[in-house]
Amino acid sequence: MHTNEPFRLGIIGSGIVAALHVKAARTLPQVEVAAVCDIRTDAAEAMAADAGAAAYPGHREMLAAERLDGVIVTSPHTLHAQQTLDVAAAGVHVLVEKPMGTSVEDCTAMIEACRTAGVTLAVGHVMRFSETARMAEKVVSSGELGPVRAITHRRSARYSRDSRPAWFFDPALAGGGIVMNVGTHGLDRIQWLGGGEIETVHAHVWHRGGLEIETDAIGVAELSSGVKAGFTFTTAAVPYTDETLVLCEDGSLRWSATEGLWVSRDGEAEARLADPDEETADAFAAQLAAFVESCRTGTSPAVTGEYGRQVVSTVLAIYEAGS
Ligand SMILES: NC(=O)c1ccc[n+]([C@@H]2O[C@H](COP(=O)([O-])OP(=O)(O)OC[C@H]3O[C@@H](n4cnc5c(N)ncnc54)[C@H](O)[C@@H]3O)[C@@H](O)[C@H]2O)c1
């Protein structure tokens, strides 16, 4: 592939997050959304019309008909594995949405299929690409607050039947509830800022409203770096909460999706980034640009399949500990 040719992108699933990827692609001159698919053909056609792409009723039809450079998998969680295998078998690079899969075995099969095919496998832990994330990581790694000792993370996401597409409530398609879905973002953040992998976890997981998937989880974890972590994922927190507190030896860092990034030291608080409102779109664009760069240069993506698998394995450990 010549780098001055557009990177021809296909998207599996034409739902909520696919629209964010299309929007991101629009900001990148090197990327052309060539094709989209969805079993809901009306959704695929509407997205295709918006993106100037071709629409297909399924990913196999799309892969057979199109010459694609990369595909983003944005379907329900348990479908990620087989679709990734099919994309890899077609010799096409893959960016798979979080959670990478819903079992460690599936994730391993995805890693091996992409390795065998010689294609890039990246996992969509998109928060890594936000400006707040970059700045938070800079503060932590600069050592200005001393070593990290502990991290707490709280996140809300509404889990009621009227709040999101029906498949999120079906274990056969979602593979889990709030932890499998938004918990993966928080676990990524804890591990990234905590400088290690979660090794042990104690948790309590429960279901509300008669739902089969969990709506709430709390727990504590210990990382390979020695950092201790606590987390709360709940359907019940209103207003929206997405906040991480990094407790360091000489102060703390507060990362809030609604109130920005703060550093606290000696009783004084200083805003490092006050307005995170616009950054979701920028993070999706930065993630897509990095994916294209990895595909074109053959360099390892920022979020690898091995890392995505480790996050899935932590989600499953939380389920086991919490049951
Ligand atoms: N990175 C983020 O911040 C973020 C945000 C939202 C969702 N997500 C992830 O993105 C993925 C999709 O979530 P969503 O909110 O867009 O859900 P969604 O329901 O809006 O979209 C999923 C789409 O996949 C389609 N689909 C189902 N089976 C299919 C098949 N066999 N082939 C092709 N398409 C099929 C559905 O019809 C639907 O349109 C999930 O993995 C989710 O966790 C990530």
Side-chain angles (χ1 to χ4, degrees):
M1 189 198 329
H2 294 294
T3 50
N4 54 0
E5 283 177 13
F7 185 93
R8 288 174 56 81
L9 187 66
I11 303 180
I12 301 178
S14 302
I16 295 163
V17 85
L20 297 177
H21 289 293
V22 168
K23 195 172 162 200
R26 209 166 264 142
T27 68
L28 301 174
Q30 71 273 37
V31 180
E32 173 193 331
V33 179
V36 301
C37 69
D38 200 299
I39 51 169
R40 294 186 300 126
T41 49
D42 54 338
E45 278 159 16
M47 185 159 286
D50 177 51
Y56 295 90
H59 70 283
R60 292 198 173 103
E61 292 90 333
M62 181 175 84
L63 292 168
E66 297 282 339
R67 185 189 55 75
L68 299 172
D69 297 311
V71 160
I72 309 180
V73 178
T74 76
S75 54
H77 304 155
T78 58
L79 308 182
H80 290 182
Q82 186 59 53
Q83 292 172 343
T84 296
L85 263 50
D86 293 341
V87 175
V92 176
H93 302 293
V94 189
L95 168 59
V96 58
E97 266 298 344
K98 46 55 59 181
M100 177 181 175
T102 53
S103 74
V104 170
E105 295 73 24
D106 276 359
C107 295
T108 300
M110 294 160 82
I111 292 166
E112 282 171 4
C114 290
R115 188 177 297 136
T116 304
V119 297
T120 296
L121 172 60
V123 184
H125 286 289
V126 68
M127 288 196 191
R128 291 284 187 92
F129 295 90
S130 73
E131 198 188 345
T132 313
R134 280 197 296 271
M135 199 162 286
E137 201 278 331
K138 222 165 117 185
V139 170
V140 167
S141 63
S142 74
E144 69 170 277
L145 296 174
V148 179
R149 296 297 182 214
I151 301 181
T152 65
H153 176 75
R154 288 186 298 133
R155 169 78 195 258
S156 67
R158 186 92 185 110
Y159 261 79
S160 60
R161 290 229 180 251
D162 58 352
S163 65
R164 57 187 69 241
W167 67 263
F168 278 100
F169 304 97
D170 178 358
L173 286 170
I178 195 166
V179 185
M180 188 64 86
N181 183 17
V182 301
T184 48
H185 288 303
L187 297 171
D188 173 37
R189 200 183 288 188
I190 286 170
Q191 297 192 128
W192 194 45
L193 296 178
E197 292 188 350
I198 290 176
E199 286 188 329
T200 57
V201 67
H202 299 276
H204 180 56
V205 173
W206 72 104
H207 305 220
R208 296 180 198 242
L211 296 173
E212 278 186 81
I213 44 77
E214 85 286 356
T215 56
D216 296 74
I218 58 165
V220 290
E222 185 156 349
L223 278 66
S224 54
S225 54
V227 168
K228 313 287 189 286
F231 54 83
T232 307
F233 304 117
T234 179
T235 180
V238 176
Y240 172 65
T241 309
D242 181 357
E243 179 161 319
T244 307
L245 197 59
V246 183
L247 304 176
C248 303
E249 190 65 32
D250 304 319
S252 70
L253 178 81
R254 177 178 175 233
W255 171 352
S256 158
T258 47
E259 290 168 49
L261 190 72
W262 293 77
V263 163
S264 178
R265 209 189 152 104
D266 301 326
E268 300 287 328
E270 180 198 335
R272 290 287 170 95
L273 207 91
D275 183 14
D277 283 357
E278 294 300 317
E279 72 173 6
T280 301
D282 294 344
F284 273 88
Q287 174 180 253
L288 183 53
F291 171 62
V292 171
E293 183 67 13
S294 288
C295 298
R296 287 188 155 164
T297 57
T299 49
S300 180
V303 185
T304 62
E306 286 78 2
Y307 182 81
R309 174 174 62 187
Q310 192 277 333
V311 173
V312 170
S313 131
T314 304
V315 171
L316 299 174
I318 290 170
Y319 288 161
E320 205 177 319
S323 61

